[in-house]
Every structure is written in structure tokens, then in C-alpha cells.
Amino acid sequence: MVLTRTETDNNESVCSTFGSRYVRAALPKYAIGENSIPKDAAFQIIKDELMLDGNPRLNLASFVTTWMEPECDKLIMDSINKNYVDMDEYPVTTELQNRCVNMIARLFNAPLGESETAVGVGTVGSSEAIMLAGLAFKRKWQNKRKAEGKPYDKPNIVTGANVQVCWEKFARYFEVELKEVKLSEGYYVMDPDKAAEMVDENTICVAAILGSTLNGEFEDVKRLNDLLVKKNEETGWNTPIHVDAASGGFIAPFIYPELEWDFRLPLVKSINVSGHKYGLVYAGIGWVVWRAQEDLPDELIFHINYLGADQPTFTLNFSKGSSQIIAQYYQLIRLGFEGYKNVMENCRENMVVLREGIEKTERFNIVSKEMGVPLIAFSLKDHSFHNEFEISEMLRRFGWIVPAYTMPADAQHITVLRVVIREDFSRTLAERLVADIVKVLHELDTLPSKISKKLGTDDVGNVKGKKIEKDLLMDVIVGWRKVVKERKKMNGVC
């Protein structure tokens, strides 16, 4: 009997990826390797490392969409190789963007006739949208000051101290002073009366937030508008309003239609909204729309023709993918007003379930409001033994990513936890999260208090010779923030 053995030129071709040399050899991490590796090995190695990331569905720190229908996923993959800026090559994609701009502008009650076209643009996110809106305000203010023969080198914007960091970026990058209305304990959004008082002749706009990242609260844009109308009449300054509706722009029209915050108010000249938040699209899409053409200075619009035709553009980026624009159009026509309303109502109802569950523990104060972005911001009633950073850290063992953070200036001694309710956060998950919070609280109750040791208390929380003061609590909070950052577990307020 003759036995034969067939050998291949490369034994690795008949092995599984985990039987090859690529999984037992360290690959270069910070310099490109000398040789190629098989595609299946490259895929498996990267996939294995990515398993150590958090689960996006359980990332309750983020407002960003983490689930879309499979049909939309397929549309995204079919268009992932299209560069949106090639408008002449991809005219249908350009048309879909224009349709989205018009749908959103009309959703925000822009004063448009049936045949009129809205003024707006798709962006990578609300950060770029805010930069573009801010530049338009700055240029309009400068042009007006120049025409009046007045200085135009010290523009400022009035905001609350609760604004997202992209406003600070805009101010620093484009040399605009950011005048912040400080917060106070129990009031964590911009006070419109104080904001109006801070306005001066150099104010290019007042930025109001429809859905604060800190506690989800809608700022009172209507009162701000009325106060500025009166001040403009007295001074002749004509100070306008921009509404940062990154989170709330796709919520308020559907479940709070009576709330006046948009273009129904005469001083609201531009609005930005994040398609990738409650617009229900994966990360990478934002929108900014203007009330009218005169609110966007022509000199900010560039015209290019080297891609095949004259193409007007007003963006900070040039090349960008088309997928998210197509995904946004899918959601707008797929869901319609009825579908968005159902999603937002579900989010609100699941928020109520979670809120009631947290209140039943009797251990927390609820900082968020019932009307606003569907989220829960809550703070421990008793900080004698443990704090919110410990709870955040221990919830990670169950897979939950729940951020703990301190409030901005003048309320920085307040620390909160925040849970954002997104489309894919069901009632079952809400009930599960409450059960896990209860488990964490029970376990913390059995552990020695790190705060007691810091403050010089005994094991039952009695202070040894002195009273617990806010400055001592702040020392603990600052210390915990440092520990969390060092462990790279600090979740940004996004």
C-alpha cells in the first residue's frame, strides 16, 4: 500500500487564522510593517482588539445613534465610496441633501413659501454647523460695524456656562470672546435675564441651547427673544439669536409642538441640529439652517469648478462621505412625522420608567427636568460615604457606561450621573439598569468609605472634630476625577 502526502507551498493556507504564525507574533503598532499579512489574519486581529471596546448600545453617556434598520445599513454600505463633494458626479446625492435641508427648515417653521428653497447645509456634525453659523454672525456684525465706521475687532458671543465644548472651540479658533452666564445650584441652564444684561454692542449673537448636555433641559428661547427685542429697540443693536438644537431639534417638534423656540421667533436667525443624535443616524451628520438668504453672507460661500461644474460650498471640510446624508434622507421619508413622534414618545416613556425606578431607591436627587431631552441626571443625597464616581466605576462591571461629572462654574460642587435614553434603550433595559444600580448601592454600603478617610471620619461617618464642608467635598470630587482620568475611564459630556 502506497501512502502519499501532498504538501502546499505555504502550510498557512490550510490552517485557520488562529493556527497561523500571525496570532503568536507581535505586529508593529506604531510603524508600518515590512511585510504584508493575509486579509483574514488582519481582519481577525483587529476584530479581536475591538472586542475590548465598550458596547455602543450600553454607552449611556452618549447622545449619538447606535442602531439603525438593516435596510439603512445596506444603503450606507452601497454609498460608502461616494465623496459628497463631487456634486457633478453624484447629482442625486446632492439633491437628497437639498431635500433634507428643506424638510428640516420647514420642521423648524422657517418662513418659506411652497416654492421657496431653504438656506442650509449638511455638516459632519453640530460642531461644524456651529462654526459655520458663528462665522456668519461674525461676518454680518463686522460688515455692519465697518459700514458704521466703528471698531470691529472685539466680537463676543453670550452663552450659558453649560454650552458644549464646540462653542469654546469656535471662540478660540475664530477669535471671539465667549461671555458665559454662570450657573447656580438648582438652575443649570442659561438665565435669559442675565444673558440679556450681558449683551453689548459687540455681541454678534446670543446662543441658546435646546437640550443642555448637562441635564437635558431646554433653555427659555421665547423669553430670551422677548428680552432682546426690547433691548434692541432701546439700543438699536439688533442682536440676533442662534439656537443650538443639537439634541432637542428632533425632539421638540414632535412631542412639544406648542413650544416656541424656532423660526417662529423673529430674532432666531439660524439653528443647528445633529442628525446623528435624535435625527436617528449614525455618527457623522449635522445640519445648519438659516432663516433667510440675507442671514448668510455671500462672501462666505466658495464656488469651485475643477470637479466638472460650478459648485457653491460653505463648509470647513472638503471631502466627506455621502452615506450619512443618504441615511438621514432614509429616516426622514421612512419614519415621517408619525414615526419620529412614536420614537420620541417611547424615549420619553422609558425615561419616566427609569426616573421612577431611581426615585424608589430614595438615594438620589433628580437634577434633570421632565420636559427636555429624554435623559436622567441624578445626584446622591448623601455623600458622607461614597460618591457618584464610585457608582459610575462599579456600573462598568455590568457593562453600563454611565458618566459622572461635575457641573460648570458656580455649581461645580454638584456632581451628577447621567443616563441618556436613545431609540434602542427599551423598557427592559431601563428596568435592568435600575436593578444594577440597586446592586451597586448595596455593595457600596458594605465597603469602607473612601470619603470618610479623606474627610477624617470614623467608619460610621461621624466627623472627627469638624463639620463636612463643601470645600472638603470638592477635594474628594477633584481627587476622584483625577483617578478616573488616569484610568482613562472619564466619559466626556457629549
Side-chain angles (χ1 to χ4, degrees):
M1 184 178 190
V2 178
L3 298 177
T4 61
R5 180 179 179 184
T6 302
E7 293 190 1
T8 62
D9 293 335
N10 183 0
N11 284 334
E12 290 172 355
S13 65
V14 297
C15 291
S16 72
T17 299
F18 292 110
S20 69
R21 61 189 173 93
Y22 300 103
V23 297
R24 66 176 183 266
L27 296 178
K29 292 183 176 64
Y30 305 111
I32 191 168
E34 291 292 330
N35 302 311
S36 304
I37 67 173
K39 59 186 178 183
D40 55 344
F43 171 82
Q44 193 65 55
I45 289 167
I46 296 172
K47 183 176 176 63
D48 289 350
E49 278 206 84
L50 289 174
M51 287 193 303
L52 300 174
D53 266 346
N55 183 338
R57 294 276 305 275
L58 299 181
N59 179 9
L60 306 182
S62 178
F63 294 80
V64 176
T65 296
T66 53
W67 179 86
M68 296 188 76
E69 291 177 326
E71 292 79 6
C72 194
D73 288 346
K74 188 175 186 305
L75 284 173
I76 288 171
M77 293 309 299
D78 288 346
S79 58
I80 203 165
N81 59 350
K82 289 183 181 178
N83 183 3
Y84 172 73
V85 77
D86 292 335
M87 298 178 186
D88 194 49
E89 297 298 322
Y90 309 121
V92 175
T93 302
T94 302
E95 170 63 17
L96 296 188
Q97 189 226 220
N98 293 339
R99 292 179 190 176
C100 289
V101 166
N102 280 273
M103 289 179 184
I104 292 168
R106 285 177 167 81
L107 183 67
F108 296 163
N109 294 295
L112 298 169
E114 288 187 10
S115 60
E116 287 185 272
T117 301
V119 180
V121 66
T123 60
V124 174
S126 275
S127 293
E128 183 188 8
I130 284 168
M131 303 284 175
L132 298 179
L135 284 171
F137 282 118
K138 181 180 178 181
R139 186 56 59 89
K140 282 207 70 175
W141 175 83
Q142 287 178 325
N143 290 344
K144 182 174 181 288
R145 298 284 288 184
K146 288 177 184 178
E148 295 171 347
K150 297 177 180 178
Y152 54 89
D153 60 335
K154 294 181 179 180
N156 69 66
I157 286 180
V158 175
T159 70
N162 56 310
V163 291
Q164 216 265 3
V165 69
C166 59
W167 283 97
E168 297 179 34
K169 285 185 178 180
F170 168 76
R172 189 179 304 178
Y173 294 169
F174 296 101
E175 298 181 317
V176 176
E177 179 189 1
L178 196 65
K179 298 171 67 174
E180 294 185 341
V181 178
K182 303 302 181 184
L183 309 185
S184 60
E185 186 171 347
Y187 196 89
Y188 304 116
V189 292
M190 179 180 69
D191 184 330
D193 293 84
K194 293 180 181 178
E197 290 174 6
M198 295 176 69
V199 168
D200 60 32
E201 62 179 347
N202 293 321
T203 302
I204 63 176
C205 78
V206 180
I209 313 299
L210 193 77
S212 170
T213 57
L214 299 179
N215 68 346
E217 188 174 351
F218 292 165
E219 293 183 345
D220 193 344
V221 188
K222 174 70 164 60
R223 176 157 179 78
L224 177 64
N225 177 86
D226 294 344
L227 290 169
L228 289 180
V229 166
K230 182 178 179 181
K231 188 158 189 171
N232 288 340
E233 290 174 353
E234 294 171 352
T235 61
W237 292 338
N238 199 28
T239 305
I241 296 172
H242 173 84
V243 179
D244 179 355
S247 299
F250 276 111
I251 296 172
F254 302 107
I255 57 178
Y256 307 115
E258 73 289 346
L259 183 67
E260 293 185 55
W261 63 273
D262 52 19
F263 291 122
R264 285 171 288 182
L265 303 175
L267 291 184
V268 174
K269 302 299 183 182
S270 55
I271 301 172
N272 70 277
V273 66
S274 289
H276 61 220
K277 292 183 179 176
Y278 288 92
L280 308 181
V281 177
Y282 294 137
I285 184 68
W287 304 92
V288 57
V289 289
W290 284 268
R291 169 181 286 273
Q293 184 66 57
E294 61 264 23
D295 296 310
L296 176 58
D298 288 337
E299 61 263 37
L300 293 178
I301 301 173
F302 285 81
H303 293 265
I304 57 173
N305 61 15
Y306 58 81
L307 292 175
D310 179 67
Q311 298 170 5
T313 176
F314 180 38
T315 60
L316 297 181
N317 300 287
F318 192 66
S319 295
K320 67 178 178 182
S322 297
S323 298
Q324 270 70 17
I325 290 172
I326 293 168
Q328 183 73 83
Y329 184 67
Y330 172 90
Q331 293 289 55
L332 290 172
I333 66 168
R334 160 80 174 96
L335 296 174
F337 194 95
E338 176 190 27
Y340 271 100
K341 187 174 188 291
N342 289 339
V343 169
M344 301 312 154
E345 286 179 343
N346 283 346
C347 289
R348 182 172 59 181
E349 289 175 8
N350 289 328
M351 178 268 289
V352 171
V353 170
L354 181 60
R355 181 189 183 104
E356 290 175 350
I358 291 173
E359 286 176 332
K360 284 180 181 179
T361 68
E362 298 182 349
R363 301 284 292 272
F364 297 99
N365 292 315
I366 304 298
V367 175
S368 51
K369 305 295 183 182
E370 292 189 18
M371 181 177 180
V373 177
L375 62 80
I376 305 295
F378 51 107
S379 179
L380 278 168
K381 292 180 179 179
D382 183 6
H383 292 84
S384 300
F385 296 95
H386 300 285
N387 62 30
E388 291 82 2
F389 293 102
E390 291 177 88
I391 295 173
S392 174
E393 184 177 19
M394 293 185 71
L395 280 172
R396 282 178 173 269
R397 293 180 359 201
F398 297 95
W400 303 108
I401 301 173
V402 177
Y405 53 89
T406 55
M407 290 294 190
D410 287 5
Q412 62 266 41
H413 59 283
I414 304 296
T415 308
V416 299
L417 295 152
R418 189 194 66 204
V419 174
V420 178
I421 312 300
R422 298 190 302 270
E423 177 188 17
D424 55 352
F425 188 83
S426 65
R427 177 163 183 163
T428 300
L429 287 179
E431 293 170 346
R432 180 70 183 219
L433 176 58
V434 171
D436 290 340
I437 290 174
V438 171
K439 291 177 185 177
V440 166
L441 291 171
H442 178 73
E443 186 170 347
L444 283 173
D445 288 341
T446 66
L447 294 175
S449 171
K450 296 179 181 179
I451 293 180
S452 295
K453 294 177 182 178
K454 176 73 178 178
L455 298 178
T457 63
D458 57 28
D459 289 337
V460 295
N462 296 318
V463 182
K464 297 176 181 177
K466 56 183 176 178
K467 183 180 178 181
I468 298 177
E469 301 287 353
K470 283 184 179 179
D471 56 343
L472 293 177
L473 286 174
M474 275 303 301
D475 288 343
V476 176
I477 291 169
V478 171
W480 265 95
R481 291 187 72 182
K482 183 178 180 181
V483 169
V484 173
K485 286 181 180 179
E486 288 172 353
R487 295 181 184 180
K488 297 185 178 180
K489 289 185 177 181
M490 183 65 178
N491 294 286
V493 180
C494 50

